[in-house]
Amino acid sequence: MLMRTDPFREMDRIVQQLSGASGTWSKPSVMPMDAYRQGDEYVIAFDLPGVSSDAIDIDVERNMLTVKAERRPSGKSDGVQMELSERPLGVFSRQIMLADTLDTEHIQADYDAGVLTLRIPIAERAKPRKITIGSESGRKQISG
């Protein structure tokens, strides 16, 4: 048997259960994430511990990025009596509006150790570029 040593954690768990915090397809829970720029790409990392990679769905429509994942209960055999269940189950989702300056055609997704990492390159048209200045003598005059 497991001993409960943190009464506040238990109260939080009960409040989550009573409020229906487990996500459903119609009302998913939010997954935590970090987003940052690294060189010429944006990186978004989602925490999805305990989710198998085949239960993750990533979609981009226009500039809307949608990530959905489902953490299913682990297969339990007959005769198993659950003593403690704190890990949230259900559906998790996050929608992010991406800027026009990102190249959504070349998003890379990796999943390792419960973290989904998306790398979105910055579009070539959004990168800074040098503009050369021409001289007046180098231009042709058109006469009409």
Side-chain angles (χ1 to χ4, degrees), residues 74-84:
S74 59
K76 296 185 179 51
S77 60
D78 292 339
V80 173
Q81 180 180 345
M82 182 62 80
E83 293 288 330
L84 182 63

Side-chain angles (χ1 to χ4, degrees), residues 31-42:
M31 65 187 83
M33 67 171 233
D34 289 335
Y36 53 92
R37 183 174 176 166
Q38 185 176 30
D40 284 342
E41 62 186 9
Y42 273 92

Side-chain angles (χ1 to χ4, degrees), residues 87-98:
R87 300 183 326 152
L89 300 174
V91 179
F92 302 86
S93 180
R94 197 75 184 246
Q95 284 192 317
I96 303 167
M97 182 63 103
L98 301 175

Side-chain angles (χ1 to χ4, degrees), residues 79-133:
V80 173
Q81 180 180 345
M82 182 62 80
E83 293 288 330
L84 182 63
S85 178
E86 292 183 347
R87 300 183 326 152
L89 300 174
V91 179
F92 302 86
S93 180
R94 197 75 184 246
Q95 284 192 317
I96 303 167
M97 182 63 103
L98 301 175
D100 289 333
T101 58
L102 299 177
D103 184 359
T104 59
E105 298 292 322
H106 296 96
I107 296 176
Q108 295 177 346
D110 296 308
Y111 187 61
D112 184 39
V115 178
L116 173 66
T117 304
L118 302 180
R119 296 184 178 280
I120 309 168
I122 296 173
E124 287 298 321
R125 68 181 184 280
K127 292 180 183 176
R129 59 191 178 278
K130 287 282 191 187
I131 299 172
T132 58
I133 301 172

Side-chain angles (χ1 to χ4, degrees), residues 1 3 10 13-14 35 42 44 53-54 60 63 78 88 94 96 104 110 116 128 130-131:
M1 183 173 143
M3 299 299 294
E10 182 65 13
R13 185 187 64 78
I14 291 170
Y42 273 92
I44 306 173
S53 61
D54 62 340
V60 176
N63 287 358
D78 292 339
R94 197 75 184 246
I96 303 167
T104 59
D110 296 308
L116 173 66
K130 287 282 191 187
I131 299 172

